[in-house]
Amino acid sequence: MMGYVLPPAAPVSLPVHGSKDRFPVRRIFCVGRNYADHGIEMGGDPTKEPPFFFTKPADAVVESGSTIPYPPATQDFHYEGELVLALGAGGTNIAEADALAHVWGYAAGNDLTRRDLQAEAKAARRPWDMAKGFDLSAVVGLIHPGQSVPDATLTLTVDGVLRQETRLSMMIWDVPGIIACLSQLVTLAPGDLIFTGTPAGVGALQRGQTCTVAVEGLTPATVTIA
Ligand code: MN
C-alpha cells in the first residue's frame, strides 16, 4: 500500500454559519482594484482596466476571532475589507448568467497586505506574492450559505473607528463578472475562495489593534494584531 514520505498537511477549512460542518478551502483568488475609489487612491484609472487577479496560499487563512502576530518584513501592514465568495462548483468559461449557481456562500474578509513590499514590487515590476500571499494574510469570517449577492453595506473598523465603508454594488466587476473572468484564466473548483476587492480607505494596522470587517447580513470578520 502506498504511503506518503511526509505526513500530508491537514486540510484547510472554515466554519460555516448555522452548521457544525466546515467549508473545505481549496485555493484563494483575489481581485485587484475592484472599486473605483480605491483604484484612484492606488494611482490607477480603474474605469479603463479589466479585472486582474492574484492569489494567496490556502493555508494563509485566518479564522475570525484570531489573534495573529505582526508579520515580518514590513513596516506598513494594511487592512483591506472585502466580500469573500466561497465556490461550491467549478468550471471553465463560466457564463455570467450561470455564475451565481457556482456560489456556495459568502463571508466577510480582510485581505491583509504588506503595503511597503507591494510598492517595492510594483516599482521593480516584480510579483506581488510576498506582499499579498504571506502567512496568516487571509482573514475570513463565518461562511453564510446562499447564492444571491448580498446588496449590502461593507464597513471596516479599527478599534471601533470607521475606516472603510461602501455598498457592494459599487464594485467595478460584480460577482458574476468576477467568476466569469476568472474562469477564463483558470478552471475554478469547489472550495475556491475569491476575495472581491476593497474600497477606498485602506490603511495601516498597529500591534494591539483589532480590525473588524462587517457586511450586512453576514457575521463580521475580526482579527487582532498581537
Ligand atoms: Mn484586496
Side-chain angles (χ1 to χ4, degrees), residues 30-34 38 54 56 79-82 110-113 115 118 128 132 195-199 202:
C30 306
V31 186
R33 287 186 196 167
N34 201 25
H38 176 63
F54 57 90
K56 296 172 183 268
Y79 56 77
E80 293 190 358
E82 309 198 5
N110 197 336
D111 166 18
L112 296 173
T113 300
R115 191 72 69 202
Q118 186 190 30
W128 287 10
K132 288 289 197 178
F195 280 66
T196 58
T198 199
V202 299

Side-chain angles (χ1 to χ4, degrees), residues 33 43-52 172-173:
R33 287 186 196 167
D45 181 359
T47 59
K48 294 178 182 170
E49 292 175 0
F52 67 92
I172 297 169
W173 294 89

